[in-house]
Structure formats: structure tokens, C-alpha cells
Amino acid sequence: ATDACGNTDTAMCSLAVNDNQPPQFIELLTDLTIQCENTAAIDLALLDLPTFDDGCNDGAFLIPNSQTIPGVCDQNYTVEKTFVVEDACGNISEPHIITITVEDTEAPIITLPTEGFTLECTEPLILEAPVVEDNCDLGAILTIDTIETGDLSDGDLISTITYIATDACGNSSQSEVVVNIVDTEPPYF
């Protein structure tokens, strides 16, 4: 420093800049629940990252971690994603945790070849197999139950074939075919 008379003096001053502030998340991710057949949404959710800022330097980096928790079936599971940000000075943000739940809540669909018909008692009861489709499970189980009610001699014999399709997650649907069995032919010798 120099005064008005030309006298000068020098002094040393040191400044220390310390970065002790952890990085901060700017845009947080939200918890999601996604149906198992929506694979594009599942993929995007698993790849999505929150945004963050350090404020002091550009050397901050995101540390993602994920854990998959199985559900009652392969189509039901939860992914817990944890994110932290660390800057070049070793400051670490608070963790940001989200949960992505993938689930199968839809029952299989049964497509019947017919809903019912009338059959002469001398003809064999032959039905085409129904088609079973499920949104996520290719191995849905089909069970068949047949109940006959009434009496042919009274003209009211009814055979009800019930199809129940159940997927691996326990979702099930039911459809039935009703066959009215009649005797319209007179006896012959």
C-alpha cells in the first residue's frame, strides 16, 4: 500500500477456501409402480438418474446403488435405488432413495371357441381347447371342471364346463361353456 506522501508498506494475507458443503440434488426421482408388461417404462425407470449440483466445483459424481427384492412371483418385484453424490473434496450428499415396484395384477384372458350349444345325446361332446393369454406369464395354468345337472329323461341335462386360468402371481379368471344335451331321436329297433 502507498500513502499520499509516497510511503509504502507491504503485507501478506492468505485466504483459505474450504469446500465443506455437500452436493445437493436438484430434481428428485419419485417412487413408481409399473405393470410387468410395460417393459419400456421399467427400463426407463431403472436407467433414470436424479440431477444434482455441487456449487463449488465440477468434480462431483453420482454414486448409484440398487437392490432387487423378489416378490411372490417372478413378475412381482421391487427395486430400491439409492443415490448419493460426492464432490472432489469428499463431501457426500444425503442419500436419495426411490422404490420401483413392478407388479402383475391382471388375470389371464380365456378365449373360448364357443359359449355353448345344444348337442344330441348320441353325439360325443368334443370341445376345442380355449386359448389362454396372460400379460406377463407365458405359463398360466388352465384347470377344467365339468358339472352335469338335470336329467336326460326330463330333457334338461346340462353339462357346464368351467375353465379357470391362473398365472404365477395368483391372478385368475373363469369362463364356462354350457352344453344342453337333448334326446330328440325316437327309439328304433
Side-chain angles (χ1 to χ4, degrees):
T2 304
D3 64 15
C5 296
N7 300 315
T8 61
D9 193 12
T10 58
M12 294 278 291
C13 175
S14 43
L15 297 172
V17 177
N18 292 321
D19 178 5
N20 57 9
Q21 293 285 12
Q24 300 293 315
F25 288 103
I26 298 171
E27 282 188 40
L28 299 176
L29 303 177
T30 58
D31 292 344
L32 297 171
T33 299
I34 305 169
Q35 281 293 317
C36 57
E37 76 273 12
N38 195 347
T39 56
I42 294 168
D43 292 344
L44 285 173
L46 293 175
L47 295 173
D48 203 8
L49 300 173
T51 58
F52 58 91
D53 183 48
D54 184 37
C56 286
N57 61 58
D58 293 331
F61 56 94
L62 184 68
I63 305 169
N65 187 15
S66 66
Q67 174 185 4
T68 302
I69 303 158
V72 297
C73 60
D74 289 344
Q75 294 79 17
N76 286 357
Y77 58 93
T78 301
V79 177
E80 187 175 273
K81 292 176 71 175
T82 303
F83 301 96
V84 293
V85 179
E86 183 175 354
D87 67 16
C89 296
N91 300 309
I92 299 175
S93 70
E94 290 292 319
H96 171 49
I97 301 171
I98 66 162
T99 302
I100 301 167
T101 303
V102 178
E103 61 186 10
D104 179 3
T105 59
E106 293 183 25
I109 296 170
I110 302 171
T111 304
L112 299 173
T114 181
E115 292 181 8
F117 54 93
T118 299
L119 179 72
E120 185 66 38
C121 67
T122 57
E123 296 176 20
L125 176 56
I126 299 173
L127 291 173
E128 289 182 37
V131 175
V132 177
E133 297 175 287
D134 189 65
N135 61 330
C136 298
D137 183 7
L138 298 177
I141 297 172
L142 182 68
T143 56
I144 303 169
D145 187 29
T146 303
I147 298 174
E148 289 190 349
T149 57
D151 193 301
L152 184 60
S153 62
D154 295 335
D156 67 350
L157 180 60
I158 296 174
S159 183
T160 304
I161 300 96
T162 304
Y163 299 95
I164 301 171
T166 306
D167 67 17
C169 296
N171 303 308
S172 66
S173 62
Q174 177 177 320
S175 294
E176 59 186 31
V177 174
V178 177
V179 181
N180 185 14
I181 301 173
V182 295
D183 183 3
T184 60
E185 296 180 13
Y188 60 91
F189 295 97

